[in-house]
Amino acid sequence: MKLYQIVAKDVMRRKRRVLYAALGVVIGTMTVVGVLTMAFAGQAKIYKQLEQYGPNLTVIPAVNNLDMKLGNLSMGTLTVGDNYIPQSELPAIRQIADSNIREVMKIDDQGNIATLAPYLYENTKVNGVSVVVVGVDPEPEKLVKSWWNVGKGDYINGPDSVLVGSLAAELLKLNVGDTILFNNNELKIAGILDETGSSDDYQIFAPLASVQKAFDKDGMISSLDIRALCNSCPVETIADSINKNIPGVTAIAVKQIAKSEMGLVDKMSNLMLALGGITLAVGLFGVVNTMMSSVHERIKDIGIMRAVGASRNQIIKVFIYEALIIGVLGGIGGYFLGTALAFAIGPLVFEGTAISFVPQYLPLALGVSIVVAVAATIYPAIRASQIRVADSFRSV
Amino acid sequence: MLEINNVTKIYGEGSARVVALDRVSLKVEDGDFIAIMGPSGSGKSTFLNIIGGLDRLTSGEVILDGHRIDNLGENDLVDIRRGKIAYVFQQYHLLPSLTAMENVLLPLIFCGDGGDEQKVETILSRVGLGKRAEHKPSQLSGGEQQRVAIARALVSGPSLILADEPTGNMDQKTGNEILELFKELNQEGRSILMVTHSADIARQAKQIITLQDGRIISKAVQQSVR
Ligand SMILES: Nc1ncnc2c1ncn2[C@@H]1O[C@H](COP(=O)(O)OP(=O)(O)O)[C@@H](O)[C@H]1O
Ligand SMILES: [Mg+2]
């Protein structure tokens, strides 16, 4: 039989004491795992939101501001350039976006990858009130505006059907089935959107071709949103490439927004991690305390072991083995309780977040709790191993 | 084999100063069986503790087999506890969570030779506990616990056994049985220093020394002992 076997047996037979000592470790580890699991879920949620919401790139017509000068006198600025992008550029833009994504994501599939949502904005009057009409491509538009909810009626379902923003419907007194005129072109209201809190609420959405025809803007769009289905998509590269290769347009990467949102999550997880760390540090004192008293309780046993031939190092070893057992128990317990904690309060912290088991935190939990248990044991064990044997018998 | 020269042990300082041993000298030959008597507080336990290196002396020297051991470092003392000197205490001092077998194995495990369970079984049978190997101390009577402690002392094959009131917690009959064990060990050639309060028990040792206020006030060799 080896020393560790004796320690293992000893620990098994002193279950209550050992579990009590493990409790401190469990609490510390539980907090860290709980915090991390919640932060992980929060991050996953935001990633998902970023994937759902909004484009990664916006393409608008290039405009140049020319400073007009006469001698030293500034005569103001003149905006030069078109207000529209030729629709014929779309395939070229798609080609640039898709090939870049394919390269980074190592996709072989030759199908379309990015979603391209073109827009044509026109001012018009309906029932005598000014309103913005937006020409959209219904299918990609649905993907890009995943938060849209058609409250009454249906989504755009034909070349002459339109969707009306909630406030526009109210102001213009429009209802599903009503007919409106765009420059004498008759269109029918297919549905009314629920409120979105964005400018969409004031607008009327119609199929792109119908708007182009009604306003005599054949083959023209005002802007283009590009959405890729990945977080690591090289949006900046795509933007650069579009700007270089497609004349007359400016592509802007919207990743900055994503970045700042991720930064917020990072800040939040750092804060929570700091809280977890503080809890762990406070927990460490608790663990040191239980370990101290556990060692203290066993001073007589230490004396006995020394009297029958244990060296100081062997005494310290006995307690380190014990701490390892406590650490493993504490790590496993802390992992599961921490995850349970995250399940319990995670949805309150990050509203509506789906918490899940994060298996890679188990080794982390084990590591943390073993380190804590051993660190908390070593000092009292060394101290106890230095007590004279005669004194250790007397002290009890 | 053992020589104690002018050993003084002083506990505390100032008004708390206690002279537990006052220039005590004693020679122990191979095969000696010495009973140590004396009133409580006279320094008997201190004497044994110092001989075995469980406590440090204030002045004087302890020589075991020609080598001073009172000034040894901790590691060398460990070696002595692992082979030459073993203890038996009044309170048995067994580890409560371990079985008799495991308690006796302990010295062998600390020695690093893995623990020979066969050897332990033999020794346990020898002290009359062949059938109690898997019992824990709490499941054993006082006499049986002391037998476990004696087996534990024997397992490392010591030439000197220090026993501090080994029969102090027992009735007379059990005490005598334990004493018989010590006598056997002595007949095998082991030297024994045994503290006792019982004149009956002391009478069966080969020699009796009496301590009082930290001094040896009498030494008596007993001719009548076998
Ligand atoms: N650690 C200690 N600190 C102070 N005094 C002690 C200590 N150990 C023993 N003594 C004192 O030394 C004297 C001898 O004690 P001890 O050797 O235990 O006596 P005995 O075993 O003969 O009863 C006693 O007066 C006791 O109070
Ligand atoms: Mg005593």
Side-chain angles (χ1 to χ4, degrees), chain A residues 3-22:
Chain A
L3 187 54
Y4 69 86
Q5 288 170 299
I6 286 278
V7 174
K9 285 191 177 184
D10 184 53
V11 164
M12 299 288 275
R13 290 171 197 156
R14 292 187 302 123
K15 279 191 204 85
R16 284 254 301 282
R17 279 260 14 133
V18 172
L19 287 181
Y20 178 67

Side-chain angles (χ1 to χ4, degrees), chain A residues 1 9-10 13 306 309 314, chain B residues 74 82 97 102 110 114:
Chain A
M1 207 176 308
K9 285 191 177 184
D10 184 53
R13 290 171 197 156
R306 302 236 349 252
Q314 282 171 325
Chain B
E74 189 52 39
R82 284 177 182 175
S97 63
E102 288 158 355
F110 286 131

